[in-house]
């Protein structure tokens, strides 16, 4: 199936515009936003290893790689932190936040 040039170009632009994961420490909360592409996994695990992070907040993450999602999930599972979702959490993000002790979203808590 061929896509119209304008639709194909839009999809390509959307993929290129997705930014790599960004981390921001806000007290005991570590906010992760952007694409989980593996570029921030080492820094993410270092933050969790310090023991000061209590909650990882995934904010507007539109996917990433399976390998990166697995690395985030392993780090969350082994550290025992809680997770929270703000905004969109698609594909790799959903896999990454699931192993938390407790999961919360902006609209409801579990």
């Amino acid at each position: 199936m061929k896509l119209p040039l304008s639709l194909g170009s839009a999809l390509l632009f959307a993929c290129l515009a997705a930014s790599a994961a960004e981390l921001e420490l806000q007290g005991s909360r570590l906010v992760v936003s952007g694409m989980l592409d593996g570029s921030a996994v080492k820094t993410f695990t270092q933050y969790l290893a310090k023991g000061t992070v209590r909650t990882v907040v995934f904010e507007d993450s539109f996917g990433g790689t399976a390998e990166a999602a697995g690395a985030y999930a392993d780090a969350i599972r082994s550290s025992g932190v809680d997770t929270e979702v703000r905004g969109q959490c698609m594909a790799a993000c959903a896999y990454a936040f699931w192993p938390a002790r407790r999961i919360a979203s902006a609209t409801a808590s579990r």
Side-chain angles (χ1 to χ4, degrees):
M1 174 177 141
K2 284 191 168 188
L3 294 174
L5 183 56
S6 59
L7 179 57
S9 297
L11 289 173
L12 177 61
F13 178 74
C15 290
L16 294 175
S19 62
E22 294 181 17
L23 307 177
E24 181 182 348
L25 189 59
Q26 298 176 350
S28 65
R29 303 165 77 79
L30 180 58
V31 179
V32 181
S33 59
M35 176 123 1
L36 303 183
D37 64 351
S39 62
V41 168
K42 183 177 179 182
T43 305
F44 179 80
T45 56
Q46 289 171 341
Y47 273 125
L48 296 186
K50 290 179 183 178
T52 57
V53 173
R54 298 288 172 241
T55 304
V56 173
V57 180
F58 287 97
E59 184 173 68
D60 292 326
S61 179
F62 297 99
T65 67
E67 293 81 13
Y72 280 90
D74 290 344
I76 288 168
R77 184 181 302 107
S78 66
S79 67
V81 297
D82 298 335
T83 57
E84 182 180 318
V85 174
R86 289 188 211 149
Q88 301 292 316
C89 179
M90 299 179 181
C93 174
Y95 178 72
F97 85 84
W98 195 250
R101 209 167 24 108
R102 290 186 323 162
I103 300 169
S105 72
T107 57
S109 296
R110 287 207 233 174

